Amino acid sequence: MSYSREEIEELGENIIGRFLNTYNSLPERVDIEVFVTDFLDMKLVYETFAEKDMDRMAFTANGKTSLRVLRNNKPEEIVFPARTVVLDSFLQSPNEEARRRFAIAHEAAHDIFDRDHGGTTEAHFYSAFDTQRTYSLNELYERMCTCEWQANAMAAQFLMPKVLLEQAMMKIAKRATLPIYGN
């Protein structure tokens, strides 16, 4: 199913708004790990990926599709339970916080879209895009298909909900909006 940008924004704002309403006062930023594990009731684990595509950094499991990871320094095909977000271990590094947060939010978005499409969890990979690499048409399709841009748009809504942006604007600029020039 295809959603418009406006539909994704409305859905994302509604979902993250319900999560933020569980707090006594608004936090400065979304705790995306708590959102995924407690609010969406998903599992979050870290593994060292051993996939042939080195750009892969996150995976949402469907309970059927295997993920190639290193266990005891040997590659193994592991089938993780459905609705488990598996992140490559390198994302635990403090300097990878932004990519880790976005990858988690991206995979959460896939879970929500899958639930909306009849509840069947699909396996999804989140892959980095390397501007120095030449991609095949299939690889480009995988990274730029509709479901991927929709998951990216929803992830942005989860990480930067309007209410928290307005709160930050009031704190920093002493107003809730920024002027927009032109269109």
Side-chain angles (χ1 to χ4, degrees):
M1 182 173 189
S2 186
Y3 299 88
S4 69
R5 170 97 38 201
E6 292 79 19
E7 289 169 327
I8 291 169
E9 288 176 7
E10 184 178 343
L11 182 60
E13 285 286 334
N14 183 284
I15 293 167
I16 204 67
R18 287 187 295 165
F19 170 67
L20 292 173
N21 284 337
T22 65
Y23 288 82
N24 291 330
S25 62
L26 283 176
E28 286 192 8
R29 68 182 199 163
V30 172
D31 187 332
I32 198 67
E33 289 91 354
V34 171
F35 173 68
V36 167
T37 58
D38 295 2
F39 192 76
L40 296 181
D41 197 29
M42 298 178 76
K43 290 185 178 88
L44 186 61
V45 299
Y46 291 89
E47 294 279 352
T48 301
F49 284 22
E51 289 286 318
K52 291 177 184 168
D53 184 344
M54 300 299 288
D55 293 341
R56 291 184 168 172
M57 63 177 73
F59 176 73
T60 300
N62 64 356
K64 300 175 208 158
T65 305
S66 63
L67 174 66
R68 192 174 172 93
V69 299
L70 286 180
R71 295 267 174 98
N72 299 317
N73 292 322
K74 293 182 182 178
E76 283 187 42
E77 298 284 334
I78 306 293
V79 176
F80 290 90
R83 302 190 65 237
T84 299
V85 175
V86 185
L87 298 167
D88 197 320
S89 309
F90 86 90
L91 290 172
Q92 290 179 297
S93 169
N95 64 339
E96 294 293 341
E97 181 184 14
R99 287 206 301 180
R100 177 179 63 249
R101 287 174 48 77
F102 191 82
I104 293 168
H106 177 94
E107 296 305 327
H110 277 305
D111 180 69
I112 288 166
F113 289 135
D114 287 349
R115 288 194 215 185
D116 194 40
H117 295 156
T120 304
T121 301
E122 299 292 327
H124 297 278
F125 276 102
Y126 176 68
S127 301
F129 188 83
D130 182 353
T131 58
Q132 302 299 309
R133 181 175 159 195
T134 302
Y135 291 97
S136 71
L137 284 176
N138 284 342
E139 290 170 325
L140 284 173
Y141 175 79
E142 181 181 297
R143 284 165 175 77
M144 298 181 182
C145 66
T146 300
C147 72
E148 291 304 314
W149 80 255
Q150 288 179 336
N152 286 340
M154 179 78 74
Q157 290 302 127
F158 291 159
L159 294 171
M160 300 181 301
K162 191 180 299 184
V163 66
L164 294 187
L165 289 175
E166 289 171 351
Q167 176 179 275
M169 290 301 302
M170 289 302 292
K171 182 178 178 182
I172 296 165
K174 307 295 186 240
R175 61 181 181 203
T177 61
L178 283 176
I180 298 175
Y181 303 100
N183 294 330

